[in-house]
Amino acid sequence: MPEIIKVLDKLSAKRSLRNTIYLSSIIIFFTLILIPPILGVIMKWGEMEQVLSQPKLMSEALNAIGNSLWVAIFVSVIDLAAGIPMAWLIARGKSKWLNVIDTFVDIPFIVPTATLGYSLLLFWSEDGLSSLFGKSLISPGWLLVILLHFTFSYPVVTRVMVGALLDYKLEYEQASRTLGASPLTAARTVTLPILKPSMIASFILAFARSISETGATMMVAGTAFINGPLFIKKYHDLNQNGPLVFVSFILIVIASLIFITIKLLGPRLKLPVRKVWPNAERKLSSSGVTASRNGLALLIFFALILIPSLFVAFPAFKAIFGGTTLSQALSGSGVWREYWQSIILTYFLGGIVTLINMIIGLPMAIAIARKTFGELPSIILDVLVNIPLVVPSVALGASLSIFWKNFGFLPEMGPLIFAHMAITYPYFVRSMSAAIERINVNLEEAARTLGAKPFAVFRTIVFPLTKYSMLSGAIMVFTRSVSETGATMVVSNLVTAPVLLVNWVKSGVPTTILGLGCGFLILFSFIILLILRLIVRGREVY
Amino acid sequence: MPDVRLVNVTKTYGKIVAVDNVSIHVHDKEYFALLGPSGCGKTTLLRLIAGLIKPDKGEIYIGNRLVNDVPPEDRDVGFVFQTFALFPHMDVWDNVIYGPRVKGFDMKKAKRIGHEVLEMVRLHERLDAFPNELSGGMMQRIAVARALAAGAKLLLLDEPLGQLDAKVRNELRYEIRKMTKDLGLTAIHVTHDQAEAMAISDRIAVMKKGKILQVGTPEELYMNPKSIFVAHFIGESNFLEGYVAEINDKTITVELRNGIKVETINKTTEELKKGERVVIALRPETLKVQREIRKGKNAVLGVIERMTFEGTNVRYEIRLENEDLVILTRPSLTGKWYKIGEKVTVSFPSEKAHIFTYPKVGLREELAVE
Ligand SMILES: Nc1ncnc2c1ncn2[C@@H]1O[C@H](COP(=O)(O)OP(=O)(O)OP(=O)(O)O)[C@@H](O)[C@H]1O
Ligand SMILES: [Mg+2]
């Protein structure tokens, strides 16, 4: 055992040191993660009056908020319905290809959000399917918004559930099978109820993601449909901040209430484990039905998620098989010079943000899961952690820029890193605290009584039992950072790849160049994720 | 009805052969133990029978039905996991009637069964407790009750007592046996504790490195171990190393180190030749220890090297003239104790000695349990 680990083990025995770590993680959370995104709301509080005093504006606002809520709830439910079968297939399937598909799942997450909206617009209503049908298949509007939100929130659910399934101890399910339960019954009455914390966590993440997204929604919403963030954006562009304060505030409050309700009722929420339909469920477990279910899961994934998200990158193939675009790109001439710089910046940023968030997020996840500061503070923290997720991203961008403008003395990277930390932090903490909650406290206690110091308990018990969830959390942080567009634009003049791509779209660069630009970004992210995944899976020994 | 037959069953994990060409027949209503050191493939064998994993080769029959492709829920087996695997989100009652419920029994019948099995394990008062509120012994009994309630005629127990303390373990092992016998069940009980296997089984299969070495009643295994490993693993044995000096139909004479000669009855099934390296295995209780220095057949001089008072018995380690060490115990309240350094004569009857060829991998290697 290396000396350094021994030293850490020893240090971790000091209660005061542990408390210092937990406390600093909480202080960091408040100062760097929670406050900056809602600062705009706090500082412009008085402007809420604008909305309150105009009934018409008020009803427009409430209508927009209502739209945001139903879309978010509807999409999250669909996400669970579609994501769990897919997660099951990935976690339990035998094929080697599933490792690759597992990484494909993250693609909508890798594609920069604004570009993703553009891609779906192309696919569903302009170039793609529409050119097959001769007319626009789905015109911009609520349906396309739902498809878009489904596309970008689906990976959240699938990612969290794959992690949960891989960390899950199979013995419960096996016990259920030997007692006479068919595979479906076993999954429904044993596995899923045990994984309930992860289902709830993924629901919350998907819900929050849907309620706050702005950039991509803007591209597909058309003129008739408006939701909270679009409403904010509309008036923010007219330099009115009242709607921003009002809508952000209401959305934060409603979302928090929903989270508190879920948090309080979640443990009491019983999945219907007492009702069993042996024959029907057995038939539904037959290999035929299972194969169709897997087929359907894959079909939904490819047709509704993967291909629409990648559509914008398809022209890259044209570039690869002809013309001079590829050689120009590789030699870094013209627009590509800036492109490669932005790519390096993007991954550097993603890596740093992931690392920092893992370090500062882990103590927080433990504190929440193990109720280190007591029951109530744990619930409060748990709800607060989600807030950066539910602040509409326009409002978030505005808040962050207000906040970070006061720190002009920081190197330019500073605000960028902090902004990304705030946006991505909840993903890691959510995923980890759910995973830690599932570990039986006895295991940790056992290790302690065997003489393991707290850090050793973490190394030997908590880490091995949660490593897939940790990877899932880290992947979500990384991909979210790599694809973040809106807030990045407002807090810094540095050009990351997503910002550059949006600029390209705006300036109307040729589709081959745009496609290739998107293609490289997606490809690199994909390779990084695949490697990470193979490393973690490769050591799969218990 | 449920006898279990395995024919040439093999299961590998990558390069590891967890179960290696195993054939056994467990009779109906038999209490059968799978005994072997850690990692020898016992759990794997049990999981194959339960259908939780599939064999690479070979056939598995339960009650004359080939079950290779039958999923676990249709095998009517009860599996008791080493960690019990009680469903953490269900209370005792829901755990227990899980089987009847998922098999679609009507609720009246399910409830009757639930009460019956809980009565049987005497845990009726704890119906609404959750698994994390139970002691190890209780969890164990609930796990057994849950398997019984599902109507299993074949009970597969994977180290069901491994997690319990010694006292509870000793009580529960007879209880489980009695329950399976009363209900007329077939039971396969995995353990690495030979005393436990000896105490409760009708027959025992001794496993090592994925292979079955010997199957027999506890007496057979004890009296007639077919291999040096079984002689060592079942009960206790002392080993004397030497070479075959002379061999005829009735007896084998073995020359130990330092030219000492002893004689055994020739009942071995192994083909032994003159000059071959062999090991003689002796049960401690067949050894006779005397104070006086005595010459005679199968008498070897030795010195008491260590003695330990253990309560009922005194344990002696005696270094023999041929340099092998023998360990034996004597009742502490009858007879006079030997002192460290005292010279004694150790002798044994020829018919009680078992003779084996010297293992190729070396004696220590052969007997290693890890
Ligand atoms: N899922 C698996 N993947 C890879 N190897 C396995 C797996 N399950 C068992 N093995 C290997 O097969 C061999 C037999 O394992 P098994 O669990 O059957 O042993 P055992 O006799 O039950 O041991 P113990 O007494 O420690 O429980 C071991 O070498 C083990 O490492
Ligand atoms: Mg085992």
Side-chain angles (χ1 to χ4, degrees), chain A residues 540-542, chain B residues 11-14 16-19 36-47 53 82 158-159 190-192 207 210 370:
Chain A
E540 191 181 354
V541 268
Y542 275 92
Chain B
K11 175 73 191 177
T12 55
Y13 290 108
I16 300 170
V17 188
V19 168
S38 186
C40 71
K42 306 179 296 286
T43 299
T44 307
L45 196 58
L46 215 55
R47 294 160 73 82
I53 46 176
Q82 182 164 8
D158 189 2
E159 312 223 7
V190 160
T191 175
H192 58 243
M207 275 187 90
E370 264 303 339

Side-chain angles (χ1 to χ4, degrees), chain B residues 48-74:
Chain B
L48 284 165
I49 298 172
L52 297 173
I53 46 176
K54 289 194 170 179
D56 301 331
K57 283 198 217 100
E59 289 113 50
I60 301 172
Y61 297 88
I62 299 179
N64 268 332
R65 175 166 75 135
L66 179 66
V67 293
N68 279 32
D69 292 318
V70 177
E73 64 268 27
D74 294 334

